[in-house]
Every structure is written in structure tokens, then in C-alpha cells.
Amino acid sequence: ALWCLRMSLTPTRGCLLDLPWEDILLPHILCHLPLQQLLSLQRVSKSFQSLIQLYLANMRCFDSSQIRPAIPRAAFVNLLKDNKVLQQLALQNCSDWLTDCELLPVIEQNHHLHQIQLKGCVQLSRHALVTISLSCPNLRQLSLAQCDWVDSLALRSLADHCKALEAVDLTACRQLKDEAICYLVQKCSRLKSLSLAVNANVGDVAVEETAKCCPELEHLDLTGCLRVKNDSIRVLAEYCPKLRSLKVKHCHNVAESSLSVLRSRGVELDVEPPLQRALVLLQDVVGFAPFINLQI
């Protein structure tokens, strides 16, 4: 890509814009340049502006974090107004201004989206999730972390229409209760990754239903789910043979008696065994490192 840019500045060797745009420039050259640099190229000439607009209209992935400083509202609307082929959309740093007004038109004209990241987009509403449900039937990954506006009705719509989901992040979606989670996992049995972290309303009922409905589950985050107890962890161990990682930090009602089975299977846990944790704390407090090493 850099060689072609240099070539475009050397008249005797040809011009970058002379290369076929859709066959060469878009799929083989521009795709390797950071989005921030592509937007800067628009200022070179009207021809470059047309080229970049064509690229944006055919872009498969859009990540707002690639644009520094944070992308303004008007720029976002202009960049994606002609795009109907997006497959991945990441807008996790647009929380200051992103509302349904800006997001919904993008979702409604992009039916091939299979990955959407909306972490921290707190100014959206439940209508955003309903629109995603109706417009993106092939959705596989969705992050709604820290989106308090997600309610049970919107999640039901997602479950009814996006049954190919494999990864869902519902961290700190505090309106959701066991019933909503149960409905989601019953409809979306292909789930491999699920985060219910920082949700005081989620308990054993949701975890047990997740275990029974999602045999392909590999990653589950229950951090800070204070109502989760040992019984549901045992059900998880019984029904999810493919589980690779489980987060239960700050789940004060989950003890080693239920975690030991998972630990023996090599499941990655975010809490240490009680004895090891006690020895580490003793070392920090008293400084008996040599004694502890001998005992181990």
C-alpha cells in the first residue's frame, strides 16, 4: 500500500488512481490502511474523495475506536450513510452522543451484520435492540455491556429473531432477571459465551437453565452475581462438558465444594483454591514467604 502511495506521487511511474478501483484498490490496498489515514486521504483531491467514499460504501467492518480523537456524530452519519454490506460494527466509544436516531438507520440497511459491539452506549433505548433483532437474523456476537436500557421485552425480541447467537455480553444490564435470561438461552441454544456479570438480579434459576439449554457453552461470566449459589455451579459442571472458563469472583455464596469438579477438569477459574488463597494472604500480611514455600 505504501509503495502504491509513493508511486502515485511519481508521474513517470504512473498514478495510484489509474489502478482498477473495485478490483485492486479497494480489496487489496485500501483495506490494509488504518481508517484514520483513509479519511485523511479524502483531502488530497476530489478523485481521492470519490475513491474513499466508494471504499466506505463497501466496507465490511467499522470500528469507531480506530478514529482519533473520538468520532463526531456528523462524521459517523456521513461515513456509513451509503453502506449496506457491513458485517461487523463496533461503537463502544460513542456513548457521549450515540442515540437511536444515529444507530437505527445504519442497522436497518445492513442485514448482514453478524457482530455488533455497543458497550457503554447508554443513550440508546430498547428500540435499538428490537431493530437489531428484526434486521440482523444472522447475528452471532452482541455486546450490550453497561447498557441499562436493555429490558426483558427487548431481550425476548432478540431471542426470537437471532437464534444463531454464539456470544452475548449482558454485563451490568441491571433490568434483567432470571426469567429474561432463561428465555434467551432456551431460544439461543448455540451460545458459547455469555456474560451476566454485575447483575444482582441473576441467580441459580438463570444459571441452571443456561447449563441445561446450552451444551456448547465455553465461557460464562458471573462476576458479582450475589444470588448465585453452589447448586447451580454443580448443574453447570454436569451439563456443560465444553466449559473452558468460569468467572465467579465476588459470588460470596459459591464455595470450593462446587468449584472443585470444574477445577479438576481444567476449567479456568478466576478464584484460587481456599488454601492457596489463604497462604498468599498470609504471605502478604506477615511476610512468611520461606515458611509458606516449605509447607507447599
Side-chain angles (χ1 to χ4, degrees):
L2 291 176
W3 176 83
C4 289
L5 288 175
R6 294 192 190 100
M7 184 182 71
S8 67
L9 301 176
T10 309
T12 58
R13 301 188 64 179
C15 176
L16 174 69
L17 296 173
D18 290 336
L19 295 172
W21 288 15
E22 296 189 18
D23 294 332
I24 300 296
L25 293 183
L26 298 188
H28 299 294
I29 296 179
L30 296 189
C31 63
H32 296 292
L33 294 177
L35 185 57
Q36 185 74 53
Q37 293 184 13
L38 291 173
L39 298 181
S40 299
L41 278 176
Q42 290 187 105
R43 298 193 292 267
V44 174
S45 68
K46 289 185 178 180
S47 295
F48 268 104
Q49 183 179 15
S50 298
L51 173 62
I52 301 306
Q53 288 177 346
L54 181 62
Y55 173 83
L56 293 172
N58 288 276
M59 186 168 47
R60 298 295 196 274
C61 306
F62 181 83
D63 186 346
S64 61
S65 66
Q66 294 181 5
I67 302 176
R68 301 290 181 181
I71 180 173
R73 183 201 311 259
F76 170 78
V77 173
N78 184 62
L79 288 177
L80 295 180
K81 61 183 177 62
D82 297 322
N83 193 304
K84 299 180 181 180
V85 295
L86 274 179
Q87 296 180 3
Q88 299 178 33
L89 179 64
L91 302 174
Q92 63 268 33
N93 66 336
C94 301
S95 58
D96 292 341
W97 54 263
L98 186 68
T99 67
D100 292 357
C101 183
E102 294 80 30
L103 179 64
L104 266 57
V106 176
I107 298 297
E108 290 171 342
Q109 68 187 25
N110 282 281
H111 303 293
H112 302 289
L113 280 164
H114 60 73
Q115 183 175 330
I116 299 177
Q117 164 68 266
L118 297 175
K119 180 180 179 180
C121 294
V122 296
Q123 298 190 49
L124 298 174
S125 77
R126 62 182 304 274
H127 299 294
L129 187 53
V130 173
T131 301
I132 290 172
S133 305
L134 298 176
S135 303
C136 308
N138 299 315
L139 191 65
R140 295 200 300 271
Q141 298 181 34
L142 176 63
S143 175
L144 299 169
Q146 301 167 20
C147 292
D148 274 337
W149 47 266
V150 177
D151 60 17
S152 59
L153 288 177
L155 195 68
R156 278 177 170 264
S157 178
L158 179 73
D160 285 335
H161 297 94
C162 300
K163 297 180 181 180
L165 279 167
E166 296 180 357
V168 179
D169 188 347
L170 299 172
T171 299
C173 292
R174 296 183 178 89
Q175 289 195 55
L176 300 178
K177 299 181 180 180
D178 282 349
E179 181 183 2
I181 303 303
C182 289
Y183 192 87
L184 173 69
V185 298
Q186 288 166 3
K187 296 287 186 175
C188 302
S189 58
R190 301 181 188 177
L191 281 176
K192 296 181 179 179
S193 177
L194 177 64
S195 176
L196 304 173
V198 199
N199 193 329
N201 294 317
V202 170
D204 284 345
V205 174
V207 176
E208 290 180 13
E209 193 67 14
T210 298
K212 294 175 181 178
C213 294
C214 303
E216 301 297 316
L217 192 67
E218 297 179 1
H219 306 283
L220 180 61
D221 190 347
L222 300 173
T223 303
C225 293
L226 303 179
R227 295 176 57 227
V228 173
K229 301 180 180 65
N230 287 322
D231 288 345
S232 62
I233 301 301
R234 293 189 181 98
V235 173
L236 193 67
E238 179 181 356
Y239 283 89
C240 297
K242 297 184 179 181
L243 193 67
R244 294 167 51 193
S245 70
L246 173 65
K247 295 183 178 180
V248 289
K249 187 173 288 187
H250 307 304
C251 295
H252 304 304
N253 293 312
V254 175
E256 182 64 21
S257 59
S258 62
L259 294 175
S260 58
V261 176
L262 294 171
R263 202 183 298 279
S264 66
R265 281 173 22 194
V267 175
E268 180 183 344
L269 302 173
D270 63 342
V271 293
E272 299 291 342
L275 177 59
Q276 183 173 345
R277 187 161 62 248
L279 292 176
V280 171
L281 289 174
L282 183 62
Q283 178 179 343
D284 290 341
V285 174
V286 187
F288 284 170
F291 172 79
I292 291 173
N293 290 334
L294 285 174
Q295 296 304 307
I296 294 175

